[in-house]
Amino acid sequence: MSKLIRKGGGQPLRDAMKRHGLSAPKLAAATRQVDVSGRGVSAATVYKVTGAGQAAARECRLRTAWLLTTAMDEPLQDHFDMPSVSTDTVER
């Protein structure tokens, strides 16, 4: 499964949350509204993906990134990069 890399150590995500007036629990609740399954993302995951420091996650699943950015009505590419292609996985 593809993982996306946070841009700027998560600062763009934190800035977007501030612009939208969202705390981690409020953003987690907003992800449940945009998730067709209604599960969304937990507040703990929001803290890990948007946080700074050693406890923060550098990468997250595509689904998580999509739910977070969609809940804030923000473009995914403003907040996440695709990982570079490894030469180990390229066909020769």
Side-chain angles (χ1 to χ4, degrees):
M1 182 173 296
S2 294
K3 293 215 174 192
L4 301 183
I5 301 168
R6 300 181 311 162
K7 286 186 175 180
Q11 188 62 50
L13 286 167
R14 292 189 295 278
D15 292 343
M17 288 173 66
K18 188 174 184 177
R19 273 195 310 277
H20 295 283
L22 295 169
S23 63
K26 286 182 181 178
L27 179 52
T31 64
R32 288 190 286 281
Q33 299 299 314
V34 297
D35 187 356
V36 294
S37 71
R39 289 187 342 230
V41 176
S42 71
T45 298
V46 174
Y47 281 118
K48 284 171 66 173
V49 175
T50 63
Q54 292 181 346
R58 180 177 169 265
E59 300 176 337
C60 73
R61 293 177 20 196
L62 173 60
R63 177 183 180 277
T64 301
W66 183 84
L67 288 171
L68 291 173
T69 55
T70 300
M72 294 189 289
D73 197 26
E74 295 271 330
L76 180 73
Q77 63 273 18
D78 287 359
H79 303 283
F80 295 93
D81 283 324
M82 291 297 291
S84 60
V85 176
S86 169
T87 57
D88 293 339
T89 58
V90 176
E91 282 190 44
R92 298 174 195 242

